[in-house]
Amino acid sequence: MEILKVEDLRFAYPGEKTDTLDKISFSVDAGEFICLCGPTGCGKSTLLRLLKKELQPRGDIRGRILFNDKDISEDEYDTSSAIGFVMQSPDEQIVTDTVWHELAFGLENIGMKREKIALKIAEIASYFGISSWYDKKVSELSGGQKQILNLAAVMVMSPDVLILDEPTSQLDPIAASDFIATVKKLNREFSLTVIITEHRLEDVIPISDRVMVLKQGEILCFGDPDDVVSKIRETSDLISAMPSAVQLYHAVGGKGKCPLDVRDGRNFIEKNFLPSSVSLPTDKYIHADDVALEMNKVFFRYSKQMPDVLDLMSLKVYSGETYFILGSNGSGKTTALGIASGIYTPYSGKVKVFGKNVRDYKNNSLYKNCLAYLPQDVETVFLENTVGEELKDAMEEARELPFDVDRLLSKHPYDLSGGEKQLVALAKVLSQKPQILLLDEPTKGIDAASKRRLAEIIKALKNRGITVVAVTHDVDFAAMTADRCGMFFRGRIVSENTTREFFSDNDFYTTAVNRMTRDYYSMAVTVSDCAELCMKNIREEGTVK
Amino acid sequence: MIVINNSGLRRVLRITVPFVIIPLTVFLGTFIVPQKSYLFVSFAVTVMALILFISGFDRKKTGSRRLVISSVMTALCIIGRFIPVFKPITALTVITGIHIGGESGFLVGALAALISNFFSGQGPWTPFQMLAWGLIGLFAGLLSPFLKRSRWIIVAYGTVTGMIFSLIMDVWTVLWGGGFSAELYLAAVVAAIPHTVVYSLSNMIFLIILSKPFGEKLERIKLKYGV
Amino acid sequence: MRTFKDSNPIAVTLYFLFVTGITMFLFDPILNGISFLGALIFSLVCGDGRDNKKHLLCLVLFVATALINPLVSHNGVTVLFFINDNPITLESLLYGCSNAFMLVSVLYWFSCFSCLMDSDKLLYVFGSFSPKAALVFSMALRYIPLFGDRSKKIRATQKTMGLYKDGNILDMIRGRVREFSIMTTWALEKGIITADSMSARGYGQGRRTRFTNFRFYLCDVILLILSSVLAVFVIMSAVKHDFVFYPAIVAPKMSLISVIGYVSYGVLVLIPTINEWKEEIRWRYLRSKI
């Protein structure tokens, strides 16, 4: 049964001549799981918001949007509970201070009776397994828990359609998979219609019924996932957001059915390529003699009563090296970076930057021509009302970065996209002319294209001799970028190695490509590694020639 | 809700409280019970006036954006004690009143007083502070076309209302200290001079520093999101 | 089995209004004394009695208020001694003491009250007057820890951007203002997401209802009725007689009515304490059976 139908929808923001959305027509059946993808700025978010009456942006809307065969623009048609909407940021979507109040909020708004609200909350809390949070303050929850709460607070209104606008982009991979799994469960168990956009499509594409690709405000294609992903060959911007199996399929010029997840990807490889024990030739690891950043047996805790966050942490990063610290959320990675950058002082142990104790850098000399730090929340860098003012002393750096900064100069920093915001902040930080750059979770909240661009920037910085130390839980990004990686667990680095060895040694904490090629090829970590190996071992009877 | 969920009852209260109950309390307090009752009268009248103002605002529909801005400003009042001793409550209340309106100004002032007393201690003074700060915000909203003319008018308004606030709180101190008398009041005012000076000074400084950038930020938000 | 602590917050609030209202409204040293004892006992029972700083503060306040009256007011006939040719009278000293009792007991009652009421309960009481104010209150409480967290992040970032010089106060203040400014922009810009999230969940569509976790149980109703009946007794008996300080102290004669009044007030101020004790005993008894 058709639940949502969009007929010849066009939309233009006020004061803009070109339409952001053009001739959009499609329909969605009840119970479908639809994934909407496309490069940043293609109009995904605008389209999603147009479907939700209360969130429609101001501007010129033409065409019709029918929900259950009724035009949603009719004044008396209230779809606030029938269409649920979950947004990106876990923190800002929460309205009230306690979990119970947050769950009740929507039901209060639609004027539901108290007894009924109590019942609904009991149901939803039990279903989501969050009864034990009931009395908690929302500030005590983790990012993933907050997002689950946001989902529950929308689901409590029993919507027919659930719209999710990049719901996991601020979460770590574990929390993101949990979240997507919950959405899938809702879709399967209640035949809830789901329309979702995501930066990371690894988990989403395989469970979607249909995929829609938008490009410059138009529908490029809309159909079965394996069909759609095999069509988007030419637009490489989209490819990098796809699951690794899809990327591999395109990289080796695959034909026929496109694999979507690791299992299919493995089958695809086995069917088309021969196993091999010969690994790719690797450059021997050589490092400079001088140590850029050294942490020696560092202990740290935030207050006397709290447990140690860093516990015998030692680390040596050589000059000119790109070093990634990987680990799960809340393990203390960010704190480690805070110690390295002199924000916090350890209670025991030594931290040296270029051989000199961090404490001996007086009067900010550490932050001039020496060390710079790009935080996870890049908004903390911005002070001014326009990008131009923000970059007053950093224009030189900004022009070196691969983006069109002039177009942005008159904009407010908060009006930029995630990727642009990050580049502006990076330019500003680089104007300190650092020899060491510290990056905290640099891929959080940015799309695949920006990620790729960031990887190139880091490589360019390396070529200029700048040492880069980053913490992340994005294994694909680390595999693409790092010279060496360290695994951070319980307050210290438990293992470290050059990137390729590091990921091939890990069984669980590794890239999808590595999991796909386990015991088939050795040391294939990135899509390009694997493609290269595949092309050397083509199976005669396979479809790839 | 059991107490006043009924809109009819709410309406009745809205009329009887200002026109019947408050005058009656004052009358009873001053003429029937002979001693000390001004203490109780002042307390009761304040509480009732506060309830009246707050529930009066409830009739008007407020958009979610305006509500969010009010809560953000309230939270900033509490978080903004970044310079020791100095509190930005008056300054932020005034700024909110001017740019977002009297209603928001009242809510921010009153709620900031309530929440800030969670940290510094609730007491019988809480309702007085809530009403006083609320009114500073309300009047800032009502006078906003005049206040918007110059930053210095805003600074003057904040400083003067802050001083009046202190002087009124001194009346209250004296009332609690054993009955009103001119000497006692004078003594209280003199004793409170350091506090009043710090308080006025902090209002002045905060308004000088904050009124322009905060005004810009709030105006941008209003423009961008059509509040 | 519900203690006073767990009673319906509206019943609790009204109870506190009765008790403090009577203390403020009726100026009778005996009532003030009863009120003070009740408040002191309850503050020891309900757990915030260990706060020695509070007791000290109250003591200082008590002495100050008790002494300031005889120094300023020279009414009364029984002169005790002279200071700078001004008579210090027994009456005005006692008046001051009585007043000090009143002040300190109100303070104790308030501290007990804020000890019992957390933000959820306050929200519930508040919300009965204005759901809107209650919502803003709840949202502000949500924002405070969020903003606190952010200001830490901002400070860390700005530190690495060379914002602070070592040990320069002016520089520190300038830095703090800058941080506050960043935080405000952040809060306001991101606040729009909150507003969207509210609208998306139907805020502003119609009349809101209010969900609470509190109900009126029989014992709350009993508490409410009991305390209002006792309060009426106290007031009725107290209006009948006057305690006169000036020019000479004239204590009203003890009559049946006044005794009823005092006893009623005594019971009223002890309700919470008795309730806590009762539950404590019942729980012990129950535990011995388990």
Side-chain angles (χ1 to χ4, degrees):
Chain A
M1 201 196 80
E2 203 172 77
I3 190 163
L4 198 65
K5 191 176 169 74
V6 175
E7 287 175 352
D8 199 29
L9 182 69
R10 292 153 202 256
F11 177 79
Y13 279 101
E16 280 185 18
K17 285 198 186 100
T18 50
D19 285 353
T20 305
L21 291 176
D22 195 18
K23 284 182 275 178
I24 303 282
S25 298
F26 66 92
S27 69
V28 175
D29 285 343
E32 270 194 299
F33 194 113
I34 307 276
C35 171
L36 180 59
C37 50
T40 299
C42 68
K44 288 182 301 218
S45 284
T46 311
L47 178 56
L48 290 187
R49 283 178 165 256
L50 285 171
L51 300 178
K52 173 84 183 158
K53 189 175 167 185
E54 293 78 11
L55 300 182
Q56 286 189 339
R58 281 186 297 171
D60 181 19
I61 308 173
R62 282 151 294 157
R64 296 208 302 163
I65 300 166
L66 302 171
F67 175 65
N68 281 332
D69 296 326
K70 213 165 153 192
D71 196 324
I72 62 162
S73 62
E74 281 171 34
D75 278 340
E76 67 278 11
Y77 195 24
D78 181 9
T79 57
S80 56
S81 47
I83 301 181
F85 201 101
V86 177
M87 293 173 263
Q88 235 185 50
S89 71
D91 267 315
E92 278 81 12
Q93 282 180 79
I94 296 176
V95 177
T96 61
D97 62 330
T98 49
V99 171
W100 68 263
H101 200 181
E102 193 59 27
L103 290 174
F105 180 76
L107 301 175
E108 290 180 330
N109 288 337
I110 55 173
M112 190 180 275
K113 286 257 177 341
R114 199 190 126 145
E115 292 71 26
K116 207 158 169 220
I117 296 183
L119 173 69
K120 283 266 179 192
I121 292 183
E123 271 195 88
I124 210 82
S126 313
Y127 183 81
F128 279 84
I130 57 177
S131 329
S132 57
W133 305 354
Y134 189 82
D135 279 321
K136 274 196 179 172
K137 298 267 169 210
V138 291
S139 52
E140 294 164 27
L141 306 180
S142 72
Q145 290 175 324
K146 280 179 190 153
Q147 198 66 323
I148 290 284
L149 172 63
N150 286 322
L151 181 62
V154 166
M155 285 312 297
V156 77
M157 302 177 76
S158 2
D160 299 323
V161 176
L162 180 64
I163 301 176
L164 304 122
D165 189 4
E166 295 172 359
T168 67
S169 70
Q170 303 292 318
L171 307 182
D172 64 286
I174 310 273
S177 312
D178 282 352
F179 185 87
I180 296 293
T182 311
V183 173
K184 181 187 167 189
K185 191 172 149 204
L186 288 169
N187 170 257
R188 300 290 195 269
E189 292 182 6
F190 300 98
S191 85
L192 173 76
T193 315
V194 175
I195 305 177
I196 185 171
T197 67
E198 261 310 341
H199 281 155
R200 267 179 84 253
L201 296 168
E202 195 91 45
D203 296 326
V204 180
I205 291 267
I207 57 169
S208 303
D209 295 319
R210 284 198 289 164
V211 176
M212 180 190 289
V213 181
L214 276 189
K215 204 187 173 194
Q216 288 170 343
E218 286 177 59
I219 296 181
L220 199 69
C221 47
F222 187 25
D224 291 339
D226 42 1
D227 190 36
V228 169
V229 293
S230 55
K231 268 188 207 154
I232 51 169
R233 198 166 299 242
E234 59 274 32
T235 37
S236 68
D237 247 13
L238 272 175
I239 288 284
S240 54
M242 289 291 157
S244 305
V246 178
Q247 292 185 41
L248 180 70
Y249 174 84
H250 285 292
V252 298
K255 285 189 188 63
K257 200 170 179 310
C258 178
L260 297 177
D261 54 14
V262 170
R263 194 183 55 182
D264 292 352
R266 173 74 180 216
N267 286 337
F268 173 77
I269 294 171
E270 285 181 3
K271 209 185 280 169
N272 292 298
F273 308 100
L274 295 162
S276 158
S277 57
V278 184
S279 58
L280 288 174
T282 42
D283 302 335
K284 199 173 171 313
Y285 171 65
I286 29 171
H287 61 76
D289 292 332
D290 56 329
V291 181
L293 171 69
E294 181 177 3
M295 293 172 85
N296 194 4
K297 295 187 185 127
V298 168
F299 289 87
F300 175 78
R301 57 176 71 174
Y302 281 98
S303 68
K304 207 179 156 198
Q305 293 79 24
M306 295 216 276
D308 281 336
V309 184
L310 295 191
D311 181 5
L312 200 73
M313 158 102 181
S314 293
L315 170 74
K316 242 184 201 176
V317 180
Y318 296 97
S319 185
E321 195 176 22
T322 303
Y323 190 99
F324 270 58
I325 300 173
L326 291 125
S328 59
N329 251 25
S331 57
K333 301 187 307 272
T334 298
T335 311
L337 221 50
I339 299 253
S341 58
I343 296 171
Y344 311 118
T345 313
Y347 71 83
S348 167
K350 277 209 170 71
V351 183
K352 285 181 181 169
V353 173
F354 292 113
K356 187 171 160 188
N357 208 316
V358 165
R359 246 176 290 175
D360 298 336
Y361 284 91
K362 290 280 180 250
N363 264 329
N364 287 328
S365 55
L366 179 64
Y367 309 120
K368 282 185 199 115
N369 306 325
C370 181
L371 178 143
Y373 168 71
L374 185 70
Q376 199 174 130
D377 302 287
V378 288
E379 277 98 347
T380 55
V381 171
F382 299 140
L383 285 170
E384 312 290 346
N385 289 326
T386 63
V387 173
E389 288 169 61
E390 209 66 71
L391 293 177
K392 210 164 58 210
D393 305 318
M395 270 327 276
E396 207 183 304
E397 283 76 16
R399 294 210 192 284
E400 280 175 16
L401 295 179
F403 74 130
D404 181 14
V405 65
D406 295 304
R407 192 174 55 84
L408 306 176
L409 288 182
S410 61
K411 283 195 174 179
H412 195 280
Y414 282 78
D415 292 342
L416 308 182
S417 76
E420 289 167 340
K421 243 185 249 178
Q422 198 187 37
L423 289 181
V424 172
L426 185 61
K428 208 173 166 189
V429 166
L430 286 176
S431 72
Q432 293 170 247
K433 309 252 182 281
Q435 293 305 305
I436 302 183
L437 179 64
L438 306 180
L439 303 170
D440 187 3
E441 222 58 86
T443 57
K444 185 173 164 184
I446 64 174
D447 63 2
S450 308
K451 226 185 225 184
R452 190 144 279 214
R453 198 163 51 185
L454 186 67
E456 266 146 35
I457 294 170
I458 293 176
K459 277 181 191 143
L461 290 174
K462 179 186 158 68
N463 289 340
R464 272 163 48 190
I466 296 177
T467 314
V468 177
V469 181
V471 305
T472 186
H473 33 52
D474 188 332
V475 286
D476 294 304
F477 185 69
M480 224 159 38
T481 322
D483 292 333
R484 274 200 303 153
C485 293
M487 179 83 190
F488 192 90
F489 186 64
R490 291 177 64 86
R492 73 186 80 145
I493 289 189
V494 288
S495 81
E496 61 176 6
N497 213 331
T498 52
T499 304
R500 212 170 258 164
E501 276 83 7
F502 177 84
F503 286 114
S504 345
D505 286 349
N506 287 358
D507 288 329
F508 291 93
Y509 206 82
T510 183
T511 60
V513 170
N514 188 254
R515 279 177 277 141
M516 240 182 275
T517 56
R518 173 118 312 168
D519 305 325
Y520 206 73
Y521 296 132
S522 72
M523 293 214 244
V525 175
T526 61
V527 174
S528 55
D529 290 347
C530 181
E532 212 179 317
L533 280 169
C534 287
M535 295 316 276
K536 284 181 183 161
N537 302 296
I538 293 176
R539 211 186 264 278
E540 282 307 312
E541 64 275 26
T543 52
V544 178
K545 289 277 148 51
Chain B
M1 203 26 254
I2 296 162
V3 181
I4 325 183
N5 214 11
N6 181 321
S7 66
L9 182 61
R10 220 191 282 250
R11 200 171 306 127
V12 169
L13 278 181
R14 201 167 287 129
I15 295 165
T16 54
V17 170
F19 296 112
V20 183
I21 298 184
I22 291 186
L24 202 68
T25 318
V26 175
F27 178 78
L28 276 176
T30 6
F31 296 109
I32 306 299
V33 185
Q35 278 179 330
K36 284 295 291 181
S37 40
Y38 34 70
L39 189 58
F40 180 75
V41 170
S42 62
F43 187 76
V45 169
T46 312
V47 171
M48 282 189 273
L50 198 60
I51 291 172
L52 199 70
F53 270 113
I54 289 183
S55 54
F57 291 136
D58 226 63
R59 291 160 75 191
K60 241 175 67 188
K61 257 196 173 177
T62 311
S64 55
R65 288 173 177 178
R66 203 175 276 265
L67 220 57
V68 166
I69 294 177
S70 304
S71 351
V72 166
M73 294 304 278
T74 309
L76 287 175
C77 285
I78 309 300
I79 280 289
R81 298 159 73 171
F82 50 86
I83 304 171
V85 190
F86 289 8
K87 285 187 199 172
I89 298 185
T90 311
L92 292 182
T93 305
V94 169
I95 292 170
T96 314
I98 291 172
H99 292 279
I100 310 295
E103 181 203 4
S104 302
F106 189 93
L107 275 181
V108 169
L111 289 175
L114 178 68
I115 299 174
S116 111
N117 282 347
F118 271 120
F119 300 98
S120 54
Q122 301 284 3
W125 51 81
T126 306
F128 289 83
Q129 287 182 340
M130 287 173 71
L131 187 65
W133 262 315
L135 287 177
I136 290 177
L138 180 66
F139 281 113
L142 295 179
L143 298 172
S144 87
F146 170 67
L147 293 174
K148 266 184 186 168
R149 273 186 223 165
S150 146
R151 175 155 67 145
W152 297 107
I153 301 181
I154 298 177
V155 173
Y157 173 82
T159 318
V160 170
T161 49
M163 265 186 200
I164 296 174
F165 173 80
S166 285
L167 292 178
I168 291 177
M169 286 309 280
D170 289 339
V171 172
W172 181 86
T173 316
V174 172
L175 278 183
W176 280 83
F180 191 82
S181 74
E183 297 109 312
L184 263 181
Y185 181 60
L186 209 65
V189 171
V190 171
I193 279 179
H195 177 261
T196 313
V197 167
V198 167
Y199 178 66
S200 306
L201 209 64
S202 78
N203 287 341
M204 222 151 88
I205 293 173
F206 273 118
L207 278 171
I208 290 173
I209 302 174
L210 301 180
S211 66
K212 200 162 156 267
F214 267 66
E216 281 171 8
K217 286 179 216 280
L218 287 173
E219 290 299 328
R220 173 184 137 81
I221 289 290
K222 273 165 71 181
L223 196 74
K224 186 175 170 191
Y225 299 104
V227 175
Chain C
M1 288 228 308
R2 291 168 83 229
T3 57
F4 186 72
K5 243 179 264 181
D6 305 320
S7 300
N8 185 291
I10 288 183
V12 172
T13 308
L14 285 176
Y15 170 82
F16 275 100
L17 278 181
F18 287 148
V19 174
T20 50
I22 287 172
T23 317
M24 284 188 264
F25 189 55
L26 302 166
F27 193 68
D28 181 328
I30 299 173
L31 285 180
N32 286 345
I34 295 172
S35 170
F36 175 72
L37 281 179
L40 193 65
I41 293 170
F42 186 50
S43 94
L44 292 172
V45 169
C46 85
D48 84 323
R50 304 243 164 70
D51 187 356
N52 287 330
K53 232 174 60 218
K54 192 186 78 190
H55 294 310
L56 195 69
L57 188 80
C58 282
L59 188 69
V60 169
L61 222 75
F62 181 88
V63 173
T65 339
L67 290 186
I68 204 152
N69 193 55
L71 290 177
V72 179
S73 154
H74 308 295
N75 293 338
V77 289
T78 323
V79 177
L80 295 173
F81 52 87
F82 287 88
I83 294 179
N84 289 346
D85 294 336
N86 284 326
I88 301 298
T89 64
L90 177 69
E91 285 81 8
S92 83
L93 183 67
L94 287 179
Y95 183 94
C97 284
S98 176
N99 201 45
F101 263 125
M102 191 267 310
L103 179 68
V104 171
S105 47
V106 170
L107 285 181
Y108 268 110
W109 282 120
F110 259 92
S111 93
C112 293
F113 180 65
S114 41
C115 185
L116 291 188
M117 299 290 275
D118 56 16
S119 58
D120 259 13
K121 292 181 183 173
L122 208 62
L123 182 77
Y124 168 72
V125 177
F126 219 132
S128 18
F129 302 117
S130 164
K132 193 195 281 178
L135 185 59
V136 174
F137 178 74
S138 170
M139 288 164 70
L141 287 183
R142 146 98 195 101
Y143 278 139
I144 290 169
L146 186 68
F147 291 178
D149 217 37
R150 274 184 196 165
S151 75
K152 271 186 215 141
K153 286 182 186 166
I154 293 170
R155 186 166 305 173
T157 308
Q158 292 294 324
K159 189 179 173 195
T160 63
M161 295 186 72
L163 185 65
Y164 299 110
K165 292 194 186 74
D166 296 341
N168 181 336
I169 290 185
L170 206 69
D171 198 62
M172 183 201 72
I173 291 179
R174 208 177 294 141
R176 292 283 168 85
V177 172
R178 221 159 103 177
E179 278 170 26
F180 193 54
S181 164
I182 300 176
M183 178 138 87
T184 307
T185 312
W186 195 351
L188 286 172
E189 297 280 337
K190 295 284 174 104
I192 296 307
I193 302 173
T194 314
D196 278 350
S197 160
M198 290 168 74
S199 316
R201 284 188 273 156
Y203 178 79
Q205 297 288 320
R207 181 149 196 94
R208 266 171 69 81
T209 45
R210 218 162 61 82
F211 176 73
T212 71
N213 290 307
F214 301 104
R215 287 155 181 279
F216 264 98
Y217 293 103
L218 186 63
C219 46
D220 299 316
V221 179
I222 292 173
L223 172 67
L224 210 55
I225 292 173
L226 186 65
S227 46
S228 27
V229 167
L230 287 172
V232 169
F233 275 174
V234 179
I235 294 170
M236 295 228 309
S237 101
V239 183
K240 282 274 183 333
H241 61 268
D242 255 344
F243 201 99
V244 180
F245 280 92
Y246 301 128
I249 291 174
V250 184
K253 287 214 174 64
M254 280 293 169
S255 62
L256 184 64
I257 295 177
S258 65
V259 169
I260 289 176
Y262 292 138
V263 171
S264 311
Y265 196 53
V267 175
L268 184 64
V269 298
L270 285 178
I271 284 178
T273 310
I274 292 171
N275 214 313
E276 295 292 328
W277 278 342
K278 189 191 79 195
E279 292 307 325
E280 181 76 13
I281 289 165
R282 190 192 281 190
W283 182 238
R284 286 219 178 132
Y285 175 68
L286 205 72
R287 201 172 52 187
S288 65
K289 273 189 174 171
I290 293 173

